[in-house]
Amino acid sequence: MPPTVPVRTADGPLAGPVADAVRSLAERTQLVDGAAALSERTVLGLDAADRHHALAYASGRLVGYAQVWPEGASELVVLPTERRRGIGTSLWTASTDAGATSVWAHGAMPPAKAFAAAHGLVVVRKLHRMERAVRPAEAITDRLPEPYTVRRFVVGSDEDAWLDANSAAFAEHPEQGGMTKAELLAKEAAPWFDPAGLLLVETPELPGKIAAFHWTKRVGSEGEVHAVGIRPELQGRGLAGVLTRLGMGYLVATGVDRIVLWVDSGNERALRTYEREGFRVSATDVVYGAPG
Ligand SMILES: CC(C)(COP(=O)(O)OP(=O)(O)OC[C@H]1O[C@@H](n2cnc3c(N)ncnc32)[C@H](O)[C@@H]1OP(=O)(O)O)[C@@H](O)C(=O)NCCC(=O)NCCS
């Protein structure tokens, strides 16, 4: 399919007005599609040094955008009024030229499925969105067993220790485990960031280290189990349930009426932990990539 509109590529942080145009494109698209095509990682990535961008313009107006992440995953969106004109294809070609090997489809909607099939891409990963309502006056409390202790994150001093714990806990999950200091600092600057909602677990067994953590996120009345990580040497000791409840308890105490989270469909242990806490799958995001 020949390109129907020019596609420009760029590396590194986008200029302010261009980044604004991408955010506006994403917002207008979400109003029509009912699902966000670009994740927080991509939105924060507009200002990051390690991203490739492809931008499609029609009559001087941004009508499509793709971003390639350092490990080769990407996100791609075309304005609903401009679809089926080959713009998605042009953006995908530019993305693969910039190193993309896979693309996220949030909400796994029919156009994404058809687009992936047209490009010979298959589902290579599934991420479940799970959610759970908070009952009126519900309180969730729990305590870590001895000798573990919990405290809040301290901005400006816990970053390196947290990044070390995160990469150890998520060694098998490149997007989470590969988080850089720049990405962490960008999250700290986000309006939702709350250091008291990033719970850090310590143990005398691992002096100077963060043993485990539960990072919660709150946007409006919705809470999120943003990330629960336990160092590999401490996994299998029954900490996951308590740690999950500690973060949920924090979110409930701040007044959320719903808690959501995302988890890999193949992560049986995490799925079981969340099911036990009352979470149920409400939607599934998929990653499309080359077969095999
Ligand atoms: C998926 C998306 C990027 C496609 O963009 P697009 O500009 O419409 O894509 P193209 O015009 O290049 O489509 C290429 C081919 O994909 C297939 N396709 C795309 N959308 C389709 C749809 N709604 N129904 C059936 N086939 C479709 C067709 O085979 C099409 O070729 P054709 O129009 O000649 O039949 C766009 O629908 C979108 O932004 N969706 C929301 C974000 C998203 O889901 N991103 C993840 C992409 S995997």
Side-chain angles (χ1 to χ4, degrees):
M1 197 187 297
T4 51
V5 301
V7 168
R8 289 185 214 156
T9 56
D11 294 330
L14 289 176
V18 182
D20 287 345
V22 174
R23 281 187 279 266
S24 153
L25 168 75
E27 280 160 20
R28 278 179 292 146
T29 302
Q30 184 170 358
L31 285 177
V32 178
D33 284 350
L38 304 183
S39 65
E40 182 192 51
R41 186 163 187 221
T42 287
V43 175
L44 293 178
L46 298 171
D47 304 316
D50 59 359
R51 307 301 162 86
H52 302 288
H53 315 268
L55 303 123
Y57 291 89
S59 311
R61 195 171 65 113
L62 186 72
V63 293
Y65 172 74
Q67 184 180 112
V68 184
W69 298 346
E71 72 282 359
S74 67
E75 292 190 338
L76 165 60
V77 61
V78 176
L79 202 62
T81 51
E82 306 291 332
R83 290 180 183 165
R84 302 302 293 274
R85 294 178 48 201
I87 298 171
T89 299
S90 302
L91 288 168
W92 176 238
T93 303
S95 299
T96 53
D97 287 349
T101 50
S102 63
V103 56
W104 278 95
H106 301 285
M109 288 181 294
K113 203 171 168 184
F115 179 84
H119 292 86
L121 303 173
V122 297
V123 174
V124 293
R125 189 177 158 198
K126 283 188 187 178
L127 203 70
H128 291 317
R129 175 188 158 103
M130 300 181 86
E131 54 183 273
R132 171 200 194 279
V134 175
R135 291 184 297 278
E138 181 175 2
I140 301 174
T141 52
D142 210 338
R143 288 187 64 137
L144 285 163
E146 296 274 329
Y148 301 100
T149 52
V150 64
R151 65 172 177 88
R152 58 183 276 171
F153 182 85
V154 179
V155 172
S157 82
D158 280 327
E159 282 79 4
D160 292 336
W162 182 82
L163 284 164
D164 180 59
N166 182 59
S167 63
F170 288 99
E172 321 250 309
H173 298 268
E175 278 146 41
Q176 176 69 28
M179 193 185 294
T180 61
K181 191 153 184 182
E183 283 177 293
L184 174 58
L185 296 179
K187 277 176 180 273
E188 286 183 13
W192 60 262
F193 180 72
D194 168 17
L198 175 39
L199 309 179
L200 308 180
V201 175
E202 292 168 317
T203 168
E205 219 177 306
L206 299 171
K209 294 198 173 197
I210 291 168
F213 60 88
H214 184 159
W215 193 346
T216 65
K217 173 174 176 179
R218 181 183 174 177
V219 178
S221 62
E222 187 172 274
E224 180 187 321
V225 175
H226 195 47
V228 174
I230 302 176
R231 281 188 178 275
E233 59 268 45
L234 301 179
Q235 290 175 12
R237 297 192 188 179
L239 286 175
V242 189
L243 191 52
T244 302
R245 281 191 293 281
L246 287 177
M248 290 171 68
Y250 177 80
L251 286 169
V252 168
T254 67
V256 301
D257 55 29
R258 169 161 301 276
I259 304 177
V260 303
L261 61 88
W262 278 263
V263 58
D264 255 298
S265 65
N267 191 344
E268 291 294 338
R269 276 198 296 177
L271 275 167
R272 271 203 306 278
T273 300
Y274 296 134
E275 275 165 4
R276 268 199 301 270
E277 300 307 328
F279 287 91
R280 297 291 175 263
V281 174
S282 60
T284 301
D285 292 343
V286 301
V287 182
Y288 290 107

